[in-house]
Structure formats: structure tokens, C-alpha cells
Amino acid sequence: MAETVIKLGRNKKASTFIDKVKEILPEGGNLNACLTCGACASGCPATGLADMDPRKFLRMAALGMDEEIVASDWPWMCTMCMRCIYVCPMKIDIPQLVFNARTLRPREERPKGILGSCDAALKHDTGSAMGTSEEDFEFVVDDVLEEYKEAQPEFEEMEAPIDKEGAEFFLNQNSREPVTEPDEMVPLWKILHTAGIDWTYGSKGWGGENYCMFLADDESWKHLTSTTIGQAKKLGCKTYLNTE
Ligand code: SF4
Ligand code: SF4
């Protein structure tokens, strides 16, 4: 396997990223005491991608290699799963470090797929990463529901409510399904119906993903989250059920 070559002495300027690294160390954490034990790398799903792993990434940060970090695509491959935090004996918050690394790159230069999905989610209050409007979502849900009720009489009483006030659960939804695989929405409806769960989608905030979080766009992340939580509160739902 090819190895990432770390060339020392290339960075002449003072690092700014290392200061952020130090800020996020929890009490008792010590970056300089990273044991290079590799526990973080061993369970990381992004290990090996772009010849990197969290241990190498951390070392580059500690060495002040800001430019290399900004240029590397590896931080964009981190899933933010947080496995590394749980196994690190020095309690180093690598996903937060990755998030900070992402903010170093100008927004328009961040990966197109994530950027496009975040921008699409900001088009409507639905938060759909596919840019689906309230009206289109309602049309698809109603259409699919009617089709299934007709084809499967045992589910004649099944509902897929949108903006039902006072429902127990506020459910969000993968954005791709209503557009590309609408039938994929139905199994969960059936489970909820069979279990007798009182639930609803929101016309606003039903899009379950938050690509703006992965884009490290704090303001847009907050906007999407506030919109969906705001709709759940407005409807008086007691529990927010995140499927994504
Ligand atoms: S698990 Fe923690 S101490 Fe071990 S290599 Fe990774 S960052 Fe360093
Ligand atoms: S949070 Fe990122 S770096 Fe940590 S284990 Fe998950 S993918 Fe790897």
C-alpha cells in the first residue's frame, strides 16, 4: 500500500490549525502524548482512503502542516462516526479536528457533491438535499399511499400524514426516496401502522440528511436544524424521530 509522505520543514509560516487542535483537547487530553498506538486508525472506516488515517492526520496537524491538510481530500472522507474518540486513550476529538480542517477550505472549493446537496437543501424549507418542494413531496406521498392502499387492502387504513398536529412522533425522511425510489418509503409506513404509532411528517423539515453539517457550513447547518425542529415543535410533536 502506498504511504503518505510527510516532508518536514516545508512549512515556514506559523500554524494556525495547531492552535485549534489544542483548544479542543479535553481536560486530561494531551496531543503531544499521542501514543501513535493506532487504535483510532484500526476502527476508522476512512483509514486507507487517500493513503491516510486519523493518526497520520493528527500528526500532520501537530506538525503544523496546514497547507497539506487543506489540500488533502481525506478530511472529507471522514464520516464523523466518532469511533476514534471512544478508543483514544488520550481522549483526542479527531472528528472535531476534521470539522475544523474542513472550514479552512473556502466554501466554493469544498467537494461538489456535498456542496451541491447542502445548497439544494437550502432551496426550500423542506430541507430536501434533492431540492424537493413541499408541494412535490405531498403529491408523491399521497400518490404512493393511495396506490398501496388500493393494491394491498390489508393496509387500507394506513396513513402517511403530513403536518398532523399533536402527533407523538415527528418523522423525517431520506431525501432521495420520494424522488428516485418512492416505494422505499412504504416499509416504514407499514411498520408504524402495524405498531399503531401516531406519527407525522412535516411539510417543512422532512428532509432527514444535513449535508451542510458535513460541509462544515455552521450557519446553514443551524438553519436546517432549526427549521425541522421548529416544525416539530409547531405541530406539538413529543418525539423527533431521525431516520438518517
Ligand atoms: S488513538 Fe489517540 S493516542 Fe492512539 S494514535 Fe490515535 S490519536 Fe494517538
Ligand atoms: S470520526 Fe472520522 S476519523 Fe474518527 S473513526 Fe470515524 S471516520 Fe475515522
Short mmCIF file of all heavy atoms in Angstrom, two decimals, residues 113 117 128-132 140 173-182 184-185 206-209 211 244:
data_model
loop_
_atom_site.label_atom_id
_atom_site.label_comp_id
_atom_site.label_asym_id
_atom_site.label_seq_id
_atom_site.Cartn_x
_atom_site.Cartn_y
_atom_site.Cartn_z
N GLY A 113 -20.12 17.41 -4.52
CA GLY A 113 -21.29 16.62 -4.15
C GLY A 113 -21.92 17.11 -2.85
O GLY A 113 -23.14 17.29 -2.76
N SER A 117 -25.46 19.31 -2.47
CA SER A 117 -26.57 18.80 -1.66
C SER A 117 -26.95 19.80 -0.56
O SER A 117 -28.12 19.96 -0.24
CB SER A 117 -26.17 17.46 -1.02
OG SER A 117 -25.99 16.49 -2.03
N SER A 128 -34.82 19.26 1.87
CA SER A 128 -34.51 18.14 1.00
C SER A 128 -33.19 18.36 0.26
O SER A 128 -33.03 19.36 -0.44
CB SER A 128 -35.64 17.95 -0.03
OG SER A 128 -35.18 17.18 -1.11
N ALA A 129 -32.28 17.41 0.40
CA ALA A 129 -30.99 17.51 -0.29
C ALA A 129 -31.14 17.31 -1.79
O ALA A 129 -30.17 17.45 -2.53
CB ALA A 129 -30.02 16.48 0.28
N MET A 130 -32.36 16.97 -2.23
CA MET A 130 -32.64 16.85 -3.66
C MET A 130 -33.35 18.12 -4.17
O MET A 130 -33.75 18.18 -5.32
CB MET A 130 -33.52 15.63 -3.94
CG MET A 130 -32.92 14.31 -3.52
SD MET A 130 -31.56 13.78 -4.57
CE MET A 130 -32.44 13.19 -6.02
N GLY A 131 -33.56 19.07 -3.29
CA GLY A 131 -34.23 20.31 -3.69
C GLY A 131 -35.72 20.14 -3.91
O GLY A 131 -36.33 20.91 -4.67
N THR A 132 -36.33 19.15 -3.28
CA THR A 132 -37.77 18.88 -3.48
C THR A 132 -38.62 19.87 -2.67
O THR A 132 -38.36 20.11 -1.49
CB THR A 132 -38.10 17.44 -3.03
OG1 THR A 132 -37.22 16.55 -3.72
CG2 THR A 132 -39.54 17.07 -3.33
N VAL A 140 -46.24 13.22 -3.94
CA VAL A 140 -45.67 11.87 -4.02
C VAL A 140 -46.18 10.99 -2.88
O VAL A 140 -46.59 9.84 -3.09
CB VAL A 140 -44.11 11.92 -4.00
CG1 VAL A 140 -43.53 10.51 -3.86
CG2 VAL A 140 -43.59 12.57 -5.27
N GLN A 173 -37.24 12.02 6.69
CA GLN A 173 -37.25 11.09 5.57
C GLN A 173 -36.02 11.30 4.71
O GLN A 173 -35.63 12.45 4.48
CB GLN A 173 -38.54 11.39 4.76
CG GLN A 173 -38.63 10.81 3.40
CD GLN A 173 -38.78 9.29 3.45
OE1 GLN A 173 -39.69 8.79 4.09
NE2 GLN A 173 -37.88 8.59 2.80
N ASN A 174 -35.41 10.22 4.26
CA ASN A 174 -34.32 10.34 3.30
C ASN A 174 -34.81 11.13 2.07
O ASN A 174 -35.87 10.83 1.53
CB ASN A 174 -33.87 8.93 2.89
CG ASN A 174 -32.76 8.96 1.87
OD1 ASN A 174 -32.98 9.25 0.71
ND2 ASN A 174 -31.55 8.67 2.30
N SER A 175 -34.04 12.10 1.65
CA SER A 175 -34.48 12.99 0.57
C SER A 175 -34.56 12.32 -0.79
O SER A 175 -35.33 12.72 -1.66
CB SER A 175 -33.52 14.17 0.45
OG SER A 175 -33.56 14.96 1.59
N ARG A 176 -33.75 11.30 -0.98
CA ARG A 176 -33.67 10.67 -2.30
C ARG A 176 -34.91 9.83 -2.60
O ARG A 176 -35.37 9.77 -3.75
CB ARG A 176 -32.41 9.80 -2.36
CG ARG A 176 -32.10 9.21 -3.70
CD ARG A 176 -30.72 8.57 -3.69
NE ARG A 176 -29.67 9.57 -3.59
CZ ARG A 176 -29.17 10.20 -4.64
NH1 ARG A 176 -29.62 9.95 -5.84
NH2 ARG A 176 -28.23 11.10 -4.49
N GLU A 177 -35.46 9.20 -1.57
CA GLU A 177 -36.54 8.24 -1.82
C GLU A 177 -37.77 8.83 -2.51
O GLU A 177 -38.25 8.23 -3.48
CB GLU A 177 -36.91 7.55 -0.51
CG GLU A 177 -35.83 6.55 -0.09
CD GLU A 177 -36.02 5.98 1.30
OE1 GLU A 177 -36.99 6.37 1.98
OE2 GLU A 177 -35.19 5.15 1.71
N PRO A 178 -38.31 9.94 -2.05
CA PRO A 178 -39.51 10.44 -2.75
C PRO A 178 -39.25 10.77 -4.22
O PRO A 178 -40.17 10.77 -5.03
CB PRO A 178 -39.85 11.73 -1.98
CG PRO A 178 -39.13 11.64 -0.69
CD PRO A 178 -37.92 10.79 -0.92
N VAL A 179 -37.98 11.02 -4.56
CA VAL A 179 -37.65 11.42 -5.92
C VAL A 179 -37.30 10.21 -6.79
O VAL A 179 -37.78 10.08 -7.92
CB VAL A 179 -36.47 12.42 -5.92
CG1 VAL A 179 -36.09 12.82 -7.34
CG2 VAL A 179 -36.80 13.64 -5.08
N THR A 180 -36.47 9.34 -6.26
CA THR A 180 -35.96 8.25 -7.11
C THR A 180 -36.54 6.87 -6.78
O THR A 180 -36.61 6.01 -7.65
CB THR A 180 -34.42 8.16 -7.00
OG1 THR A 180 -34.07 7.89 -5.65
CG2 THR A 180 -33.76 9.45 -7.43
N GLU A 181 -36.91 6.64 -5.52
CA GLU A 181 -37.41 5.31 -5.12
C GLU A 181 -38.59 5.47 -4.16
O GLU A 181 -38.50 5.07 -2.99
CB GLU A 181 -36.31 4.51 -4.42
CG GLU A 181 -35.06 4.31 -5.25
CD GLU A 181 -33.84 3.94 -4.39
OE1 GLU A 181 -33.67 4.54 -3.31
OE2 GLU A 181 -33.11 3.04 -4.80
N PRO A 182 -39.69 6.05 -4.61
CA PRO A 182 -40.79 6.35 -3.68
C PRO A 182 -41.33 5.12 -2.95
O PRO A 182 -41.79 5.23 -1.81
CB PRO A 182 -41.87 7.01 -4.56
CG PRO A 182 -41.41 6.83 -5.95
CD PRO A 182 -39.96 6.55 -5.96
N GLU A 184 -39.73 2.92 -1.57
CA GLU A 184 -38.89 2.65 -0.40
C GLU A 184 -39.41 3.33 0.87
O GLU A 184 -38.97 3.04 1.97
CB GLU A 184 -37.45 3.11 -0.67
CG GLU A 184 -36.72 2.30 -1.71
CD GLU A 184 -36.53 0.85 -1.27
OE1 GLU A 184 -36.06 0.63 -0.16
OE2 GLU A 184 -36.90 -0.04 -2.05
N MET A 185 -40.31 4.27 0.72
CA MET A 185 -40.88 4.93 1.90
C MET A 185 -41.89 4.03 2.61
O MET A 185 -42.14 4.16 3.81
CB MET A 185 -41.60 6.24 1.50
CG MET A 185 -40.69 7.28 0.87
SD MET A 185 -41.53 8.88 0.66
CE MET A 185 -42.70 8.48 -0.65
N TRP A 206 -38.81 17.90 6.48
CA TRP A 206 -38.89 16.44 6.40
C TRP A 206 -37.60 15.83 5.86
O TRP A 206 -37.36 14.63 6.04
CB TRP A 206 -40.08 15.96 5.56
CG TRP A 206 -40.09 16.44 4.14
CD1 TRP A 206 -40.80 17.51 3.64
CD2 TRP A 206 -39.35 15.90 3.03
NE1 TRP A 206 -40.53 17.66 2.30
CE2 TRP A 206 -39.66 16.70 1.90
CE3 TRP A 206 -38.47 14.84 2.87
CZ2 TRP A 206 -39.10 16.45 0.64
CZ3 TRP A 206 -37.91 14.60 1.62
CH2 TRP A 206 -38.24 15.39 0.52
N GLY A 207 -36.77 16.64 5.20
CA GLY A 207 -35.50 16.11 4.66
C GLY A 207 -34.58 15.70 5.80
O GLY A 207 -34.24 16.52 6.66
N GLY A 208 -34.20 14.43 5.83
CA GLY A 208 -33.50 13.91 7.00
C GLY A 208 -32.01 14.16 7.06
O GLY A 208 -31.42 14.20 8.13
N GLU A 209 -31.38 14.32 5.89
CA GLU A 209 -29.91 14.49 5.92
C GLU A 209 -29.57 15.95 6.21
O GLU A 209 -30.39 16.83 6.03
CB GLU A 209 -29.28 14.12 4.56
CG GLU A 209 -29.75 12.83 3.96
CD GLU A 209 -31.02 13.02 3.15
OE1 GLU A 209 -31.58 14.13 3.14
OE2 GLU A 209 -31.46 12.04 2.54
N TYR A 211 -26.44 17.80 4.87
CA TYR A 211 -25.15 17.89 4.20
C TYR A 211 -24.40 19.16 4.57
O TYR A 211 -23.18 19.24 4.42
CB TYR A 211 -25.34 17.83 2.68
CG TYR A 211 -25.56 16.42 2.18
CD1 TYR A 211 -26.84 15.92 2.01
CD2 TYR A 211 -24.48 15.58 1.91
CE1 TYR A 211 -27.05 14.61 1.58
CE2 TYR A 211 -24.67 14.29 1.47
CZ TYR A 211 -25.96 13.81 1.31
OH TYR A 211 -26.17 12.52 0.88
N GLU A 244 -32.11 9.33 9.53
CA GLU A 244 -30.85 9.43 8.76
C GLU A 244 -29.64 9.48 9.67
O GLU A 244 -29.66 10.11 10.70
CB GLU A 244 -30.90 10.65 7.85
CG GLU A 244 -32.03 10.58 6.86
CD GLU A 244 -32.00 9.30 6.02
OE1 GLU A 244 -30.96 9.01 5.44
OE2 GLU A 244 -33.03 8.61 5.96
#
